[in-house]
Short mmCIF file of all heavy atoms in Angstrom, two decimals:
data_model
loop_
_atom_site.label_atom_id
_atom_site.label_comp_id
_atom_site.label_asym_id
_atom_site.label_seq_id
_atom_site.Cartn_x
_atom_site.Cartn_y
_atom_site.Cartn_z
N MET A 75 12.40 12.57 26.36
CA MET A 75 12.68 11.56 25.35
C MET A 75 12.85 12.21 23.99
O MET A 75 12.73 13.42 23.83
CB MET A 75 11.51 10.57 25.26
CG MET A 75 11.58 9.22 25.98
SD MET A 75 13.13 8.46 26.32
CE MET A 75 13.17 7.21 25.09
N PHE A 76 13.05 11.40 23.00
CA PHE A 76 13.28 11.84 21.63
C PHE A 76 12.04 12.52 21.06
O PHE A 76 10.95 11.98 21.09
CB PHE A 76 13.67 10.62 20.80
CG PHE A 76 14.14 10.97 19.41
CD1 PHE A 76 15.31 11.69 19.22
CD2 PHE A 76 13.42 10.58 18.31
CE1 PHE A 76 15.74 12.01 17.95
CE2 PHE A 76 13.84 10.88 17.04
CZ PHE A 76 15.02 11.60 16.86
N LEU A 77 12.20 13.74 20.55
CA LEU A 77 11.12 14.57 19.98
C LEU A 77 9.97 14.81 20.95
O LEU A 77 8.84 15.00 20.55
CB LEU A 77 10.58 13.95 18.69
CG LEU A 77 11.55 13.91 17.51
CD1 LEU A 77 10.89 13.22 16.31
CD2 LEU A 77 12.01 15.29 17.11
N GLY A 78 10.25 14.75 22.23
CA GLY A 78 9.25 15.05 23.24
C GLY A 78 8.24 13.95 23.49
O GLY A 78 7.27 14.17 24.22
N LEU A 79 8.42 12.78 22.93
CA LEU A 79 7.49 11.67 23.16
C LEU A 79 8.08 10.71 24.18
O LEU A 79 9.28 10.49 24.23
CB LEU A 79 7.22 10.91 21.85
CG LEU A 79 6.48 11.68 20.76
CD1 LEU A 79 6.37 10.82 19.51
CD2 LEU A 79 5.10 12.10 21.22
N GLU A 80 7.19 10.15 24.97
CA GLU A 80 7.62 9.15 25.94
C GLU A 80 7.95 7.85 25.23
O GLU A 80 7.54 7.61 24.09
CB GLU A 80 6.51 8.91 26.98
CG GLU A 80 6.22 10.13 27.84
CD GLU A 80 7.37 10.49 28.76
OE1 GLU A 80 8.12 9.59 29.15
OE2 GLU A 80 7.52 11.68 29.10
N TRP A 81 8.64 6.95 25.92
CA TRP A 81 9.10 5.70 25.32
C TRP A 81 7.95 4.82 24.84
O TRP A 81 8.05 4.15 23.82
CB TRP A 81 9.99 4.94 26.29
CG TRP A 81 9.29 4.51 27.55
CD1 TRP A 81 9.19 5.22 28.70
CD2 TRP A 81 8.58 3.29 27.75
NE1 TRP A 81 8.46 4.53 29.62
CE2 TRP A 81 8.08 3.34 29.06
CE3 TRP A 81 8.34 2.17 26.97
CZ2 TRP A 81 7.32 2.30 29.60
CZ3 TRP A 81 7.59 1.13 27.50
CH2 TRP A 81 7.08 1.19 28.80
N TYR A 82 6.83 4.83 25.58
CA TYR A 82 5.73 3.95 25.20
C TYR A 82 5.05 4.41 23.91
O TYR A 82 4.50 3.59 23.18
CB TYR A 82 4.71 3.80 26.34
CG TYR A 82 4.24 5.10 26.95
CD1 TYR A 82 3.19 5.81 26.39
CD2 TYR A 82 4.86 5.60 28.09
CE1 TYR A 82 2.76 7.00 26.95
CE2 TYR A 82 4.44 6.79 28.66
CZ TYR A 82 3.38 7.48 28.08
OH TYR A 82 2.95 8.66 28.63
N TRP A 83 5.10 5.71 23.61
CA TRP A 83 4.54 6.18 22.33
C TRP A 83 5.37 5.67 21.17
O TRP A 83 4.87 5.34 20.11
CB TRP A 83 4.45 7.70 22.30
CG TRP A 83 3.31 8.22 23.14
CD1 TRP A 83 3.41 8.93 24.29
CD2 TRP A 83 1.92 8.01 22.91
NE1 TRP A 83 2.17 9.20 24.79
CE2 TRP A 83 1.23 8.64 23.96
CE3 TRP A 83 1.19 7.34 21.92
CZ2 TRP A 83 -0.17 8.63 24.04
CZ3 TRP A 83 -0.20 7.34 22.01
CH2 TRP A 83 -0.85 7.97 23.06
N TRP A 84 6.70 5.59 21.38
CA TRP A 84 7.56 5.05 20.33
C TRP A 84 7.26 3.57 20.11
O TRP A 84 7.28 3.10 18.97
CB TRP A 84 9.03 5.27 20.67
CG TRP A 84 9.40 6.71 20.52
CD1 TRP A 84 9.73 7.58 21.50
CD2 TRP A 84 9.44 7.46 19.30
NE1 TRP A 84 9.98 8.83 20.98
CE2 TRP A 84 9.81 8.78 19.63
CE3 TRP A 84 9.20 7.14 17.96
CZ2 TRP A 84 9.94 9.78 18.67
CZ3 TRP A 84 9.34 8.14 17.00
CH2 TRP A 84 9.69 9.44 17.36
N LEU A 85 6.97 2.83 21.18
CA LEU A 85 6.60 1.42 21.03
C LEU A 85 5.30 1.28 20.24
O LEU A 85 5.17 0.41 19.38
CB LEU A 85 6.45 0.76 22.40
CG LEU A 85 7.73 0.45 23.15
CD1 LEU A 85 7.41 -0.19 24.49
CD2 LEU A 85 8.62 -0.46 22.33
N ILE A 86 4.34 2.15 20.53
CA ILE A 86 3.05 2.11 19.82
C ILE A 86 3.26 2.44 18.35
O ILE A 86 2.72 1.77 17.46
CB ILE A 86 2.05 3.08 20.48
CG1 ILE A 86 1.67 2.56 21.87
CG2 ILE A 86 0.81 3.24 19.61
CD1 ILE A 86 0.88 3.54 22.71
N ILE A 87 4.05 3.48 18.05
CA ILE A 87 4.32 3.87 16.67
C ILE A 87 5.01 2.73 15.92
O ILE A 87 4.65 2.40 14.79
CB ILE A 87 5.16 5.16 16.62
CG1 ILE A 87 4.32 6.34 17.11
CG2 ILE A 87 5.69 5.41 15.22
CD1 ILE A 87 5.11 7.60 17.36
N LEU A 88 6.00 2.10 16.54
CA LEU A 88 6.71 0.99 15.91
C LEU A 88 5.78 -0.21 15.67
O LEU A 88 5.85 -0.86 14.63
CB LEU A 88 7.90 0.56 16.75
CG LEU A 88 9.08 1.54 16.74
CD1 LEU A 88 10.16 1.06 17.71
CD2 LEU A 88 9.65 1.67 15.34
N ALA A 89 4.89 -0.47 16.62
CA ALA A 89 3.94 -1.58 16.46
C ALA A 89 2.99 -1.31 15.29
O ALA A 89 2.72 -2.19 14.47
CB ALA A 89 3.15 -1.79 17.75
N VAL A 90 2.50 -0.08 15.18
CA VAL A 90 1.60 0.28 14.07
C VAL A 90 2.33 0.15 12.74
O VAL A 90 1.78 -0.39 11.77
CB VAL A 90 1.05 1.71 14.27
CG1 VAL A 90 0.36 2.22 13.03
CG2 VAL A 90 0.10 1.74 15.45
N LEU A 91 3.57 0.61 12.66
CA LEU A 91 4.35 0.47 11.43
C LEU A 91 4.59 -0.99 11.09
O LEU A 91 4.47 -1.39 9.93
CB LEU A 91 5.68 1.21 11.56
CG LEU A 91 5.60 2.73 11.49
CD1 LEU A 91 6.97 3.33 11.76
CD2 LEU A 91 5.06 3.20 10.16
N ALA A 92 4.93 -1.79 12.09
CA ALA A 92 5.22 -3.20 11.85
C ALA A 92 3.98 -3.94 11.35
O ALA A 92 4.08 -4.87 10.54
CB ALA A 92 5.73 -3.85 13.13
N ILE A 93 2.81 -3.52 11.79
CA ILE A 93 1.57 -4.14 11.34
C ILE A 93 1.16 -3.62 9.97
O ILE A 93 0.68 -4.38 9.13
CB ILE A 93 0.45 -3.91 12.38
CG1 ILE A 93 0.77 -4.69 13.66
CG2 ILE A 93 -0.90 -4.31 11.84
CD1 ILE A 93 -0.08 -4.33 14.84
N SER A 94 1.36 -2.35 9.70
CA SER A 94 0.84 -1.74 8.47
C SER A 94 1.71 -2.03 7.24
O SER A 94 1.20 -2.07 6.12
CB SER A 94 0.68 -0.24 8.64
OG SER A 94 1.94 0.37 8.81
N ILE A 95 3.01 -2.24 7.41
CA ILE A 95 3.89 -2.44 6.25
C ILE A 95 3.52 -3.69 5.44
O ILE A 95 3.42 -3.60 4.22
CB ILE A 95 5.37 -2.42 6.68
CG1 ILE A 95 5.77 -0.99 7.04
CG2 ILE A 95 6.28 -2.96 5.60
CD1 ILE A 95 7.14 -0.85 7.66
N PRO A 96 3.27 -4.84 6.05
CA PRO A 96 2.86 -6.00 5.24
C PRO A 96 1.55 -5.77 4.48
O PRO A 96 1.40 -6.21 3.35
CB PRO A 96 2.71 -7.13 6.26
CG PRO A 96 3.55 -6.73 7.41
CD PRO A 96 3.50 -5.24 7.44
N PHE A 97 0.60 -5.06 5.11
CA PHE A 97 -0.65 -4.75 4.42
C PHE A 97 -0.41 -3.83 3.23
O PHE A 97 -1.03 -3.99 2.19
CB PHE A 97 -1.65 -4.10 5.38
CG PHE A 97 -2.27 -5.09 6.33
CD1 PHE A 97 -2.00 -5.02 7.68
CD2 PHE A 97 -3.11 -6.09 5.86
CE1 PHE A 97 -2.57 -5.93 8.55
CE2 PHE A 97 -3.68 -7.00 6.73
CZ PHE A 97 -3.40 -6.92 8.09
N LYS A 98 0.52 -2.89 3.38
CA LYS A 98 0.84 -1.98 2.28
C LYS A 98 1.46 -2.75 1.12
O LYS A 98 1.10 -2.54 -0.04
CB LYS A 98 1.78 -0.88 2.74
CG LYS A 98 2.12 0.08 1.64
CD LYS A 98 3.10 1.13 2.08
CE LYS A 98 3.34 2.05 0.90
NZ LYS A 98 4.62 2.66 0.89
N VAL A 99 2.38 -3.66 1.42
CA VAL A 99 3.02 -4.46 0.37
C VAL A 99 1.98 -5.30 -0.35
O VAL A 99 1.97 -5.36 -1.59
CB VAL A 99 4.13 -5.35 0.99
CG1 VAL A 99 4.64 -6.37 -0.01
CG2 VAL A 99 5.27 -4.49 1.50
N LYS A 100 1.08 -5.92 0.40
CA LYS A 100 0.02 -6.74 -0.20
C LYS A 100 -0.88 -5.87 -1.09
O LYS A 100 -1.26 -6.28 -2.18
CB LYS A 100 -0.79 -7.41 0.90
CG LYS A 100 -1.69 -8.50 0.43
CD LYS A 100 -2.28 -9.24 1.60
CE LYS A 100 -3.05 -10.44 1.11
NZ LYS A 100 -3.56 -11.26 2.20
N PHE A 101 -1.22 -4.68 -0.63
CA PHE A 101 -2.08 -3.77 -1.40
C PHE A 101 -1.40 -3.33 -2.68
O PHE A 101 -2.02 -3.30 -3.74
CB PHE A 101 -2.44 -2.54 -0.55
CG PHE A 101 -3.22 -1.52 -1.31
CD1 PHE A 101 -4.56 -1.70 -1.55
CD2 PHE A 101 -2.60 -0.38 -1.78
CE1 PHE A 101 -5.29 -0.75 -2.26
CE2 PHE A 101 -3.32 0.57 -2.49
CZ PHE A 101 -4.67 0.38 -2.72
N VAL A 102 -0.11 -3.01 -2.62
CA VAL A 102 0.61 -2.57 -3.81
C VAL A 102 0.68 -3.69 -4.85
O VAL A 102 0.50 -3.45 -6.05
CB VAL A 102 2.02 -2.06 -3.43
CG1 VAL A 102 2.91 -1.88 -4.64
CG2 VAL A 102 1.92 -0.77 -2.64
N LYS A 103 0.92 -4.92 -4.40
CA LYS A 103 0.94 -6.06 -5.33
C LYS A 103 -0.43 -6.24 -5.96
O LYS A 103 -0.55 -6.48 -7.16
CB LYS A 103 1.37 -7.33 -4.60
CG LYS A 103 2.85 -7.38 -4.30
CD LYS A 103 3.21 -8.68 -3.62
CE LYS A 103 4.67 -8.72 -3.26
NZ LYS A 103 5.03 -9.98 -2.59
N TRP A 104 -1.50 -6.16 -5.14
CA TRP A 104 -2.86 -6.32 -5.64
C TRP A 104 -3.19 -5.22 -6.64
O TRP A 104 -3.77 -5.48 -7.69
CB TRP A 104 -3.86 -6.29 -4.48
CG TRP A 104 -5.28 -6.22 -4.94
CD1 TRP A 104 -6.04 -7.27 -5.36
CD2 TRP A 104 -6.09 -5.06 -5.03
NE1 TRP A 104 -7.29 -6.82 -5.70
CE2 TRP A 104 -7.35 -5.46 -5.51
CE3 TRP A 104 -5.89 -3.71 -4.74
CZ2 TRP A 104 -8.39 -4.56 -5.72
CZ3 TRP A 104 -6.92 -2.82 -4.95
CH2 TRP A 104 -8.15 -3.24 -5.43
N TRP A 105 -2.80 -3.99 -6.34
CA TRP A 105 -3.09 -2.85 -7.22
C TRP A 105 -2.37 -3.01 -8.56
O TRP A 105 -2.93 -2.73 -9.61
CB TRP A 105 -2.67 -1.55 -6.54
CG TRP A 105 -3.15 -0.35 -7.28
CD1 TRP A 105 -2.46 0.38 -8.20
CD2 TRP A 105 -4.43 0.26 -7.19
NE1 TRP A 105 -3.23 1.40 -8.67
CE2 TRP A 105 -4.45 1.36 -8.07
CE3 TRP A 105 -5.57 -0.01 -6.43
CZ2 TRP A 105 -5.56 2.17 -8.21
CZ3 TRP A 105 -6.67 0.81 -6.58
CH2 TRP A 105 -6.65 1.88 -7.47
N GLY A 106 -1.12 -3.46 -8.53
CA GLY A 106 -0.37 -3.68 -9.76
C GLY A 106 -1.00 -4.77 -10.62
O GLY A 106 -1.12 -4.62 -11.84
N LYS A 107 -1.43 -5.85 -9.98
CA LYS A 107 -2.08 -6.93 -10.72
C LYS A 107 -3.41 -6.45 -11.31
O LYS A 107 -3.74 -6.75 -12.45
CB LYS A 107 -2.34 -8.11 -9.78
CG LYS A 107 -2.79 -9.38 -10.51
CD LYS A 107 -3.20 -10.48 -9.55
CE LYS A 107 -2.09 -10.87 -8.61
NZ LYS A 107 -2.48 -11.95 -7.68
N ARG A 108 -4.15 -5.66 -10.56
CA ARG A 108 -5.43 -5.13 -11.02
C ARG A 108 -5.23 -4.19 -12.21
O ARG A 108 -5.96 -4.25 -13.19
CB ARG A 108 -6.11 -4.37 -9.88
CG ARG A 108 -7.44 -3.76 -10.23
CD ARG A 108 -8.01 -3.06 -8.99
NE ARG A 108 -9.16 -2.29 -9.33
CZ ARG A 108 -9.14 -1.00 -9.65
NH1 ARG A 108 -8.01 -0.35 -9.66
NH2 ARG A 108 -10.25 -0.36 -9.96
N ALA A 109 -4.22 -3.34 -12.13
CA ALA A 109 -3.94 -2.40 -13.23
C ALA A 109 -3.52 -3.16 -14.48
O ALA A 109 -3.90 -2.79 -15.60
CB ALA A 109 -2.86 -1.41 -12.80
N GLN A 110 -2.75 -4.22 -14.31
CA GLN A 110 -2.31 -5.02 -15.45
C GLN A 110 -3.50 -5.71 -16.11
O GLN A 110 -3.60 -5.73 -17.33
CB GLN A 110 -1.29 -6.04 -14.98
CG GLN A 110 -0.46 -6.65 -16.08
CD GLN A 110 0.66 -7.52 -15.52
OE1 GLN A 110 0.48 -8.17 -14.49
NE2 GLN A 110 1.80 -7.53 -16.16
N GLU A 111 -4.41 -6.26 -15.30
CA GLU A 111 -5.60 -6.90 -15.85
C GLU A 111 -6.50 -5.88 -16.55
O GLU A 111 -7.06 -6.17 -17.60
CB GLU A 111 -6.38 -7.60 -14.74
CG GLU A 111 -5.70 -8.85 -14.22
CD GLU A 111 -6.39 -9.43 -13.01
OE1 GLU A 111 -7.41 -8.86 -12.57
OE2 GLU A 111 -5.90 -10.45 -12.49
N LYS A 112 -6.61 -4.71 -15.97
CA LYS A 112 -7.43 -3.65 -16.57
C LYS A 112 -6.84 -3.22 -17.92
O LYS A 112 -7.56 -3.01 -18.88
CB LYS A 112 -7.49 -2.46 -15.61
CG LYS A 112 -8.68 -1.59 -15.75
CD LYS A 112 -8.70 -0.56 -14.63
CE LYS A 112 -10.00 0.19 -14.64
NZ LYS A 112 -10.03 1.22 -13.62
N LYS A 113 -5.51 -3.09 -17.97
CA LYS A 113 -4.85 -2.69 -19.20
C LYS A 113 -5.04 -3.77 -20.27
O LYS A 113 -5.26 -3.45 -21.44
CB LYS A 113 -3.37 -2.47 -18.93
CG LYS A 113 -2.60 -1.89 -20.10
CD LYS A 113 -1.15 -1.63 -19.71
CE LYS A 113 -0.39 -1.04 -20.87
NZ LYS A 113 1.02 -0.87 -20.54
N LYS A 114 -4.95 -5.03 -19.87
CA LYS A 114 -5.11 -6.13 -20.79
C LYS A 114 -6.55 -6.17 -21.33
O LYS A 114 -6.77 -6.50 -22.49
CB LYS A 114 -4.81 -7.45 -20.09
CG LYS A 114 -4.48 -8.60 -21.03
CD LYS A 114 -4.26 -9.90 -20.28
CE LYS A 114 -3.02 -9.86 -19.43
NZ LYS A 114 -2.76 -11.15 -18.76
N GLY A 115 -7.51 -5.79 -20.50
CA GLY A 115 -8.91 -5.82 -20.89
C GLY A 115 -9.32 -4.65 -21.77
O GLY A 115 -10.42 -4.65 -22.32
N GLN A 116 -8.48 -3.64 -21.93
CA GLN A 116 -8.82 -2.47 -22.72
C GLN A 116 -8.64 -2.70 -24.21
O GLN A 116 -9.12 -1.94 -25.01
CB GLN A 116 -7.98 -1.26 -22.30
CG GLN A 116 -8.44 -0.65 -21.01
CD GLN A 116 -7.61 0.57 -20.63
OE1 GLN A 116 -6.60 0.86 -21.27
NE2 GLN A 116 -8.03 1.26 -19.60
N HIS A 117 -7.93 -3.74 -24.60
CA HIS A 117 -7.71 -4.01 -26.02
C HIS A 117 -9.03 -4.46 -26.63
O HIS A 117 -9.53 -5.54 -26.34
CB HIS A 117 -6.63 -5.08 -26.23
CG HIS A 117 -5.28 -4.63 -25.75
ND1 HIS A 117 -4.59 -3.61 -26.35
CD2 HIS A 117 -4.51 -5.04 -24.72
CE1 HIS A 117 -3.44 -3.43 -25.72
NE2 HIS A 117 -3.37 -4.28 -24.72
N GLY A 118 -9.56 -3.62 -27.46
CA GLY A 118 -10.84 -3.92 -28.08
C GLY A 118 -10.69 -4.39 -29.50
O GLY A 118 -9.65 -4.93 -29.90
N LYS A 119 -11.72 -4.17 -30.26
CA LYS A 119 -11.78 -4.61 -31.65
C LYS A 119 -10.66 -4.01 -32.50
O LYS A 119 -10.14 -4.65 -33.41
CB LYS A 119 -13.14 -4.22 -32.21
CG LYS A 119 -13.42 -4.66 -33.61
CD LYS A 119 -14.82 -4.26 -34.00
CE LYS A 119 -15.09 -4.62 -35.44
NZ LYS A 119 -16.43 -4.18 -35.84
N TRP A 120 -10.28 -2.77 -32.19
CA TRP A 120 -9.30 -2.05 -33.02
C TRP A 120 -7.94 -1.96 -32.34
O TRP A 120 -7.18 -1.03 -32.58
CB TRP A 120 -9.81 -0.66 -33.34
CG TRP A 120 -11.15 -0.70 -34.00
CD1 TRP A 120 -12.33 -0.34 -33.46
CD2 TRP A 120 -11.44 -1.15 -35.33
NE1 TRP A 120 -13.34 -0.53 -34.34
CE2 TRP A 120 -12.82 -1.02 -35.51
CE3 TRP A 120 -10.66 -1.64 -36.38
CZ2 TRP A 120 -13.46 -1.37 -36.70
CZ3 TRP A 120 -11.30 -2.00 -37.55
CH2 TRP A 120 -12.66 -1.86 -37.70
N GLY A 121 -7.62 -2.86 -31.48
CA GLY A 121 -6.29 -2.86 -30.84
C GLY A 121 -6.25 -1.99 -29.62
O GLY A 121 -6.91 -2.27 -28.63
N ASP A 122 -5.49 -0.89 -29.66
CA ASP A 122 -5.30 -0.05 -28.49
C ASP A 122 -6.39 1.00 -28.33
O ASP A 122 -6.31 1.82 -27.42
CB ASP A 122 -3.93 0.67 -28.56
CG ASP A 122 -2.79 -0.31 -28.36
OD1 ASP A 122 -2.99 -1.37 -27.75
OD2 ASP A 122 -1.68 0.03 -28.79
N ASP A 123 -7.38 1.05 -29.18
CA ASP A 123 -8.45 2.04 -29.03
C ASP A 123 -9.19 1.82 -27.74
O ASP A 123 -9.45 0.72 -27.32
CB ASP A 123 -9.44 1.93 -30.20
CG ASP A 123 -8.86 2.44 -31.51
OD1 ASP A 123 -7.75 3.01 -31.48
OD2 ASP A 123 -9.52 2.25 -32.52
N GLU A 124 -9.53 2.94 -27.08
CA GLU A 124 -10.30 2.84 -25.84
C GLU A 124 -11.75 3.13 -26.07
O GLU A 124 -12.10 3.95 -26.86
CB GLU A 124 -9.73 3.81 -24.80
CG GLU A 124 -8.37 3.40 -24.32
CD GLU A 124 -7.85 4.33 -23.23
OE1 GLU A 124 -8.38 5.45 -23.12
OE2 GLU A 124 -6.94 3.95 -22.51
#
């Protein structure tokens, strides 16, 4: 088979990718929202001072 793997290993790899991609998209959106909130919360008494 392709790259020395049997057909069922390709099915397993595709299933893992199909399951993991939505979780990755959700994590990236969550991380972006978290970073934006963190950045917004850094504005203190003197503006951009940390």
